[in-house]
Amino acid sequence: MRQPSVISRRVAAAAVSVVLASGAAACAGPEDAGAKSGTPGKGSAAPQKGGTLTVLNAEAQTDFDPARLYTSGGGNVPSLVFRTLTTRNREAGAAGTQVVPDLATDIGRPNKDATEWTYTLKDGLKFEDGTPITSADVKYGIERSFAAELSGGAPYLRDWLIGGDTYQGPYKDPKGLASIVTPDPKTIVFKLKKPEGEFPFVATQTQFAPVPKAKDKGAKYEEHPVSSGPYKVVSNENDGERLVLERNEHWDPKTDEERKAYPDKIDVRSGLDEAVINQRLATSSGADAAAVTTDTNLGPAELAQIGSDKALADRVGTGHFGFTNYIAFNPKVKPFDNPKVRQAISYAVNRTSVVNAAGGSSLAEPATTFLPEQKAFGFTPYDHFPAGKTGDPEKAKQLLKEAGFPGGLTVTLLHSTAQNRATSPEIATAVQEALGKAGITVKLDGQEPNSFNEKRWSVKDAPGFFLSRWGADWPAGGPFLAPIFDGRQIVTNGSNYNHAQLNDPAVNKEIDEINKLTDLKAAAARWGALDKKIGEQALDVPLFHPVYKRLVGKNVKNVVISDWTGVLDVSQVAVK
């Protein structure tokens, strides 16, 4: 599970206040208040080519190798260099959740049972040195992602491809994977262990970027990966701390309908303090006027300050990403083996206080379903344990009595000590206070992030009651529900995400049946129905979905924020 690089943000109220006191710069354009996304930079002037886009980030763009990157759908810096078989539709809001062709002519042609997918490459595709991109380059790029020294990418191909679970990469096995077939320079065929109707989404991930075998330098390839996109790497300092990209003269926009590639140069500067990033974007002086961030959110205090200044407010982009923060139960641990106890907690939760603890309604939206509120996931509204906005402690007490706890009970809630607006002490305290009104005494067990994750992901050591979160690798129900509720994905000797350890044959069978569907709309409806059915068991308590708020420089135009990533798409930005 990954999400856009969203770190907990230290509030920089003082810094932003200084900026506001000195007067805000003129806005780039009026905010286009879309259905789900605010989009600054939509002024009347058409975006133009030229200039330098600066990216100010807290986290370095490390491991800049397509085999090692864990990205899906593009939208951020890697997608400027690495094209893949498919990508996401580069449009704002819900339209951006669609998968579309990239290097390939279509999103893939499945056989009857979706166990085989065939792709044909477009004409005129070239690497940065002018050599043609072939299906063999795509096959090799995928195969090298299996090498132990290039670990870090998404795991799906290892699980899905025939022979993928034992293949160790081309450095040890130059014969390659027999389940990836290239009958000619433009055709590539994937043979899977089982039906996978969502394979076109997986083909958006960077492992599908072509790599010319003759230019592969193993672990050193990241220093100068060969570009298939509109930009090439000209400088990579300190493993991604500063990354400079310039135009790839052999990229043909006629073959790429998604990337606009307006700036002449992209200058990515990382390792910056989060408060400093927001201050520089707000001030927008010099090069910072044409700057954006791909990993730094605004906090509640900053938003309060910015909200009083329309010029700055018009430069705040709003995004939604498929992510759910929730209370997890381990029914193997008493008293959470009793469904009525789990139901009582579901009724007792005060989502208003939880949302406030997460930064307020601008940064979090209350959730009663496990699936995010987006059609692409198959969102189906339900609330099996209606607690209203502030909880229903009386209903909770009634259920506790029926469960054999008329005098209430005492439980321990595991949470992280990190300030991450998801599993933080503030969220835990909000849950503690709400449950206390229902006669449930909650003792808080805060642990540092590594220890917290080790416990919640362990089958052996997981407690019965803890905070957790999950984000999808692409906007569909499969990567959201299967890892959490498919009994065959319970991991006994590693990271286990099926916290409830649910192994229901009916659920497993339905997951298999949905995976056979290549009609993504039909599949979405089935995922939504399955979410509603599983929700009846009270195996978790959905709390909220996060909202991302990010500032852009005053000269930034054409900001596009989709519901796939929830963050600004750098491939669309213009600075002139």
Side-chain angles (χ1 to χ4, degrees):
M1 174 277 300
R2 298 291 170 103
Q3 62 167 330
S5 185
V6 179
I7 319 167
S8 64
R9 304 296 166 205
R10 294 188 293 275
V11 174
V16 176
S17 295
V18 170
V19 174
L20 294 173
S22 63
C27 64
E31 182 175 10
D32 177 15
K36 294 286 281 185
S37 300
T39 49
K42 291 285 186 178
S44 58
Q48 299 177 16
K49 286 196 172 185
T52 297
L53 171 67
T54 300
V55 180
L56 304 175
N57 281 347
E59 292 185 326
Q61 183 66 70
T62 58
D63 302 328
F64 205 72
D65 183 315
R68 304 185 70 180
L69 290 166
Y70 199 125
T71 61
S72 175
N76 287 331
V77 175
S79 74
L80 301 175
V81 177
F82 307 121
R83 293 183 66 181
T84 46
L85 287 179
T86 61
T87 187
R88 70 170 180 81
N89 186 31
R90 307 304 177 90
E91 294 187 27
T97 62
Q98 300 172 11
V99 62
V100 295
D102 191 358
L103 292 173
T105 57
D106 53 35
I107 64 170
R109 303 181 298 280
N111 64 353
K112 186 175 181 180
D113 65 354
T115 58
E116 187 172 296
W117 286 83
T118 301
Y119 291 86
T120 301
L121 298 185
K122 296 174 181 176
D123 294 329
L125 300 172
K126 294 181 180 180
F127 285 113
E128 67 177 71
D129 60 2
T131 58
I133 295 172
T134 69
S135 56
D137 298 318
V138 177
K139 174 180 167 70
Y140 183 74
I142 293 170
E143 289 173 339
R144 65 191 295 276
S145 72
F146 285 77
E149 55 265 53
L150 298 178
S151 63
Y156 299 100
L157 293 178
R158 188 173 298 277
D159 296 333
W160 290 8
L161 286 172
I162 295 173
D165 55 340
T166 58
Y167 184 61
Q168 298 182 46
Y171 310 138
K172 290 189 176 182
D173 185 357
K175 292 182 179 179
L177 266 169
S179 54
I180 305 178
V181 181
T182 53
D184 60 64
K186 292 186 64 178
T187 306
I188 186 166
V189 183
F190 300 91
K191 299 183 178 182
L192 313 180
K193 298 176 183 177
K194 57 188 179 67
E196 295 294 351
E198 293 180 2
F199 192 83
F201 285 104
V202 174
T204 68
Q205 298 187 331
T206 52
Q207 286 100 320
F208 285 79
V211 174
K213 185 176 182 179
K215 299 292 182 68
D216 183 15
K217 297 181 180 180
K220 291 186 177 181
Y221 183 71
E222 66 176 45
E223 296 173 5
H224 191 124
V226 182
S227 173
S228 52
Y231 296 91
K232 60 185 178 181
V233 177
V234 296
S235 176
N236 186 345
E237 300 176 9
N238 299 326
D239 192 17
E241 186 172 299
R242 185 176 184 187
L243 192 69
V244 178
L245 310 179
E246 294 181 356
R247 290 193 181 279
N248 169 15
E249 61 183 10
H250 291 287
W251 170 74
D252 185 352
K254 293 179 181 178
T255 70
D256 191 347
E257 297 180 1
E258 300 305 318
R259 298 164 182 82
K260 300 302 183 186
Y262 289 119
D264 291 330
K265 181 178 179 181
I266 314 287
D267 188 355
V268 185
R269 297 170 177 260
S270 307
L272 304 174
D273 184 85
E274 299 150 3
V276 172
I277 291 172
N278 283 324
Q279 181 183 20
R280 288 175 61 173
L281 290 172
T283 305
S284 281
S285 63
D288 292 342
V292 299
T293 180
T294 65
D295 73 357
T296 299
N297 284 333
L298 293 165
E302 292 168 312
L303 285 172
Q305 295 289 331
I306 287 174
S308 63
D309 188 290
K310 186 179 185 302
L312 275 179
D314 283 345
R315 290 201 271 125
V316 175
T318 301
H320 296 75
F321 171 63
F323 209 83
T324 300
N325 301 280
Y326 63 101
I327 294 173
F329 296 116
N330 178 1
K332 306 290 183 182
V333 177
K334 292 182 178 298
F336 307 103
D337 59 333
N338 190 324
K340 289 187 180 296
V341 170
R342 303 196 302 268
Q343 293 171 18
I345 292 173
S346 299
Y347 276 108
V349 165
N350 181 332
R351 287 184 174 83
T352 297
S353 64
V354 168
V355 165
N356 289 337
S361 58
S362 293
L363 296 172
E365 297 173 342
T368 62
T369 64
F370 195 78
L371 286 177
E373 296 185 20
Q374 297 175 24
K375 289 183 179 180
F377 290 95
F379 170 67
T380 300
Y382 67 82
D383 188 354
H384 295 310
F385 314 103
K389 293 183 178 180
T390 58
D392 188 345
E394 295 307 313
K395 178 66 173 180
K397 290 177 181 178
Q398 176 189 330
L399 285 165
L400 286 177
K401 184 176 180 180
E402 294 174 9
F405 300 98
L409 76 162
T410 298
V411 296
T412 298
L413 177 68
L414 176 71
H415 66 90
S416 172
T417 56
Q419 301 296 315
N420 56 21
R421 294 198 299 124
T423 56
S424 67
E426 289 80 5
I427 305 297
T429 299
V431 172
Q432 179 189 48
E433 292 176 351
L435 269 57
K437 296 178 181 179
I440 304 173
T441 300
V442 178
K443 295 181 178 179
L444 300 183
D445 180 12
Q447 302 205 7
E448 59 87 21
N450 288 338
S451 175
F452 166 71
N453 287 329
E454 286 178 5
K455 286 193 174 183
R456 71 180 174 120
W457 291 340
S458 170
V459 165
K460 179 182 178 182
D461 299 324
F465 189 43
F466 51 100
L467 296 180
S468 195
R469 54 186 177 173
W470 188 255
D473 285 334
W474 59 84
F480 219 94
L481 295 183
I484 307 300
F485 299 114
D486 187 337
R488 297 157 299 183
Q489 294 198 33
I490 296 174
V491 180
T492 57
N493 58 351
S495 296
N496 173 60
Y497 306 123
N498 186 337
H499 298 317
Q501 299 180 46
L502 178 68
N503 193 7
D504 183 335
V507 171
N508 298 346
K509 181 180 179 181
E510 178 63 1
I511 289 173
D512 289 343
E513 292 300 313
I514 302 174
N515 282 337
K516 294 178 182 178
L517 300 177
T518 55
D519 182 337
L520 298 178
K521 289 185 178 179
R526 294 274 289 271
W527 288 123
L530 182 60
D531 180 35
K532 185 175 182 180
K533 185 67 176 178
I534 294 172
E536 295 174 351
Q537 300 184 50
L539 298 173
D540 57 75
V541 184
L543 296 176
F544 67 94
H545 306 301
V547 180
Y548 307 118
K549 298 279 188 178
R550 294 182 179 177
L551 195 60
V552 300
K554 67 179 182 180
N555 291 341
V556 170
K557 297 180 180 295
N558 208 51
V559 171
V560 173
I561 300 173
S562 80
D563 287 349
W564 185 313
T565 65
V567 297
L568 169 146
D569 185 341
V570 293
S571 75
Q572 307 300 297
V573 168
V575 294
K576 292 186 69 176

